[in-house]
Amino acid sequence: MAIETVLREDVRFDRLSRGQNARFPATENDRASRIALCDSSEDVAEALERFVHAGLRPTVRAGGHCYEDFVDNNPQGAIIDVSLIAGTAPEPNGPKYRLGAGTTLGRAYPELYKRDLVTIPGGTCGPVGAGGHISGAGYGLLSRLHGVTPDWVTAVDVVTIDHAGKARIRRADKKNDADLLRACRGAGGGNFGIVTHFHFDTLPKAPTEVVKGSVSFGWEGMTEERFARILFLFSNYWETRGRDPETWGLFSIFNLSHRSSGRLTMSVTFSNPDGTVKDMKVLDEYLSIFEECKPVSELTVHPAMAEHHPEVPATGTNLCVATHTVQKMAWIDSQGGGGGRNGGPAMDSRHKYKSTYMKRSFSRDEAACFYKHLNRTIPGVDLSRNTVLADSFGGAVNKRQMLEETSSAQRSSILKLQFIATWNDAAQDAGQIGWMRDFYTELYSVSTAGAKYSGTPFWSDRYEGCYMNYPDVDMLRYEFWPQLYYGPGELYPFLQSVKRKYDPNNVFHHAMSIRG
């Protein structure tokens, strides 16, 4: 179909002009003036040229899950919505697999499974769109087995715009525009052009079956010593035993939620590298290490975790492992059957996020800082939905050869942390954001990279900076913020050269975009 332009008087405008974070757009005056709904790369090129020549700043939406205001706060600008460029049907005579940028993860998993029993190692939130997820090095429960999603991308269709304002549809692969391909494999969206499709010559086979479960530790009676011990047991496993390839099918998320939530919850998802759960000794061993801390087995995920890592309906068989009850199910059933039940954060919720890559297990000082701030109270501020999700990482992600093929620089970490504050009342904005800033700044107040980097997890023997798919504008206060996300090596200068080449007028820009 032809491009459909949604204007302010359209009943759809309010919903289409905002994403999942209710903090943005900050005011009515910050809203875009129009939204172009595009069905194809040709539509995107036409809309892009039209808006640029009209002097309208273009921003791009696929799934609408940008953590900051990079899309929604666009005063009188234009949003190019690619959510309709969706599906997994490959091109005739093209690469074997293809994902439209608007394809949600909840749609991608069952469709790829039906096509060829394959998958992508992507995230758990069904409504997230492939466009931002893959271009920003999206990861998920299968990443320890198969790496991050851009590791598998072999070509991208991307619309760029030149000095004269002429849009061009490019197929970037290893033979044509190879530098642009690499940049689109992990550097983040909104930098070089508008990705409309991702192509894959091959994809990993989906597991046949998985085991899922969770254990919890009540906050009541939780001492600092016991908390530190639990954190050590969790993180030390990934620093030591978790490096063994036979454990790479095990993925665990520790939901370090605020005391007012009632409990700490740790989820596990497991499948052997062969895609079965016939041998569960790895899972048995992992759960056994926590026995001294008296966890409680449960089959539901705590609400603080479920909002960002939704659970799926109970469709499996209950099993006992290491005195814990877990659930065995077909892998495809663990994906929510198409995403309809895999909801994301509520549209009326307000959020703030931060991130850290960790190369080592939690230190005693780090555990003390966590304990302090997870127990902290602020009058009039509800912190019960606030958490730090500590995700197991490493495994296949840490294959060093991918450093030069992708723009995902963090290839030595064992854990990835996502700091999350969630609330509904705008009157709590200052208190919620202040809680997280105080926590994060104190946690990294003594930087192992040197005094210059205090307050940040700058690259060192302990940390590998931050994750661009969890952008945090607080980092802009540091002159070295690009290195937090892209590393201190050659990657950021390379990305700057790609920016100058393919977006010479800096048409695609936001607060944390690549500086050409």
Side-chain angles (χ1 to χ4, degrees):
M1 80 178 194
I3 302 165
E4 184 174 6
T5 303
V6 177
L7 302 175
R8 285 179 176 265
E9 56 269 22
D10 193 302
V11 68
R12 296 167 294 175
F13 182 83
D14 178 69
R15 176 62 185 84
L16 296 178
S17 64
R18 58 192 177 93
Q20 62 88 21
N21 193 340
R23 291 174 59 206
F24 314 118
T27 69
E28 282 300 311
N29 291 333
D30 290 311
R31 288 188 191 270
S33 65
R34 64 207 67 193
I35 300 119
L37 301 176
C38 299
D39 269 330
S40 65
S41 298
E42 289 74 19
D43 284 354
V44 170
E46 181 183 338
L48 179 60
E49 273 195 23
R50 182 191 307 167
F51 293 150
V52 168
H53 286 291
L56 302 174
R57 176 194 172 214
T59 57
V60 187
R61 188 188 317 286
H65 285 70
C66 182
Y67 280 2
E68 291 287 1
D69 66 355
F70 304 158
V71 177
D72 299 335
N73 276 10
N74 187 5
Q76 299 306 308
I79 295 174
I80 296 178
D81 189 314
V82 299
S83 61
L84 296 176
I85 305 177
T88 62
E91 285 182 323
N93 305 314
K96 189 172 184 180
Y97 305 106
R98 179 174 73 156
L99 278 183
T103 312
T104 63
L105 299 183
R107 177 178 177 177
Y109 297 136
E111 287 195 13
L112 289 171
Y113 185 82
K114 291 173 187 176
R115 288 188 182 281
D116 204 16
L117 294 174
V118 297
T119 190
I120 56 172
T124 58
C125 192
V128 167
H133 185 71
I134 297 177
S135 62
Y139 73 103
L141 304 182
L142 294 178
S143 286
R144 283 175 43 78
L145 269 177
H146 301 304
V148 292
T149 48
D151 290 354
W152 295 85
V153 172
T154 51
V156 292
D157 294 337
V158 56
V159 181
T160 60
I161 194 157
D162 64 17
H163 259 302
K166 177 66 176 176
R168 175 180 172 184
I169 303 169
R170 299 174 182 269
R171 172 68 57 85
D173 55 28
K174 291 187 177 180
K175 293 182 179 179
N176 302 289
D177 300 328
D179 52 352
L180 182 60
L181 170 65
R182 182 190 174 193
C184 291
R185 294 174 70 184
N191 281 304
F192 314 104
I194 303 175
V195 174
T196 57
H197 294 92
F198 299 93
H199 301 270
F200 312 83
D201 289 338
T202 185
L203 282 172
K205 286 292 182 183
T208 304
E209 55 189 357
V210 297
V211 166
K212 300 175 75 74
S214 62
V215 297
S216 69
F217 307 87
W219 266 113
E220 185 176 354
M222 179 69 70
T223 64
E224 183 176 330
E225 290 71 26
R226 180 167 178 251
F227 178 85
R229 180 62 178 167
I230 294 170
L231 228 56
F232 171 78
L233 291 172
F234 169 76
S235 57
N236 184 64
Y237 178 89
W238 305 108
E239 186 179 4
T240 55
R241 175 74 169 119
R243 297 184 187 276
D244 192 320
E246 76 169 337
T247 73
W248 290 3
L250 177 65
F251 197 98
S252 184
I253 306 171
F254 205 160
N255 176 28
L256 301 167
S257 57
H258 190 268
R259 173 180 282 274
S260 56
S261 70
R263 65 192 194 270
L264 306 164
T265 306
M266 181 181 67
S267 71
V268 291
T269 301
F270 173 72
S271 181
N272 285 300
D274 67 359
T276 74
V277 295
K278 294 176 182 177
D279 182 354
M280 291 197 290
K281 68 178 181 181
V282 168
L283 179 60
D284 189 26
E285 172 192 70
Y286 177 70
L287 292 174
S288 293
I289 69 175
F290 298 97
E291 282 305 296
E292 66 177 86
C293 300
K294 307 301 183 206
V296 176
S297 177
E298 54 190 353
L299 287 174
T300 59
V301 176
H302 190 265
M305 176 185 286
E307 184 168 14
H308 296 274
H309 292 264
E311 61 181 322
V312 296
T315 57
T317 302
N318 292 351
L319 304 173
C320 289
V321 179
T323 74
H324 297 288
T325 302
V326 295
Q327 194 170 73
K328 174 184 173 182
M329 64 184 72
W331 175 82
I332 190 60
D333 291 337
S334 75
Q335 302 307 299
R341 296 172 301 227
N342 257 7
M347 292 295 297
D348 61 347
S349 292
R350 305 171 75 81
H351 306 277
K352 177 62 182 174
Y353 305 88
K354 292 181 181 291
S355 65
T356 303
Y357 287 89
M358 294 183 64
K359 297 166 69 174
R360 303 281 299 279
S361 55
F362 288 104
S363 69
R364 188 65 176 82
D365 287 342
E366 287 170 332
C369 188
F370 268 83
Y371 187 81
K372 171 184 173 180
H373 288 277
L374 295 178
N375 278 275
R376 181 183 169 196
T377 59
I378 302 175
V381 179
D382 178 9
L383 301 174
S384 63
R385 294 159 70 188
N386 293 6
T387 187
V388 180
L389 297 183
D391 290 13
S392 57
F393 211 57
V397 174
N398 290 346
K399 292 182 177 179
R400 306 292 293 177
Q401 64 266 34
M402 300 310 298
L403 282 170
E404 295 184 0
E405 295 186 33
T406 71
S407 292
S408 178
Q410 290 85 356
R411 299 287 180 173
S412 298
S413 290
I414 59 159
L415 293 173
K416 184 183 240 179
L417 308 187
Q418 181 177 189
F419 296 73
I420 304 171
T422 300
W423 67 101
N424 290 87
D425 184 0
Q428 293 189 23
D429 284 8
Q432 294 281 355
I433 295 171
W435 173 83
M436 181 177 286
R437 285 175 178 165
D438 292 346
F439 181 2
Y440 194 84
T441 302
E442 181 176 339
L443 184 62
Y444 304 113
S445 61
V446 181
S447 174
T448 54
K452 174 182 177 181
Y453 305 107
S454 179
T456 75
F458 197 81
W459 295 59
S460 67
D461 62 342
R462 294 193 60 80
Y463 310 119
E464 276 192 310
C466 308
Y467 177 40
M468 184 43 79
N469 262 3
Y470 301 160
D472 173 18
V473 295
D474 290 352
M475 297 299 101
L476 292 171
R477 72 183 66 174
Y478 306 105
E479 63 178 13
F480 51 84
W481 73 263
Q483 285 69 46
L484 281 169
Y485 292 91
Y486 301 111
E490 59 80 33
L491 179 57
Y492 190 64
F494 164 76
L495 295 174
Q496 289 180 297
S497 70
V498 176
K499 176 72 170 177
R500 291 190 293 268
K501 180 177 178 181
Y502 294 98
D503 185 20
N505 293 337
N506 196 28
V507 169
F508 301 103
H509 64 273
H510 53 74
M512 300 184 76
S513 57
I514 303 296
R515 309 293 201 245

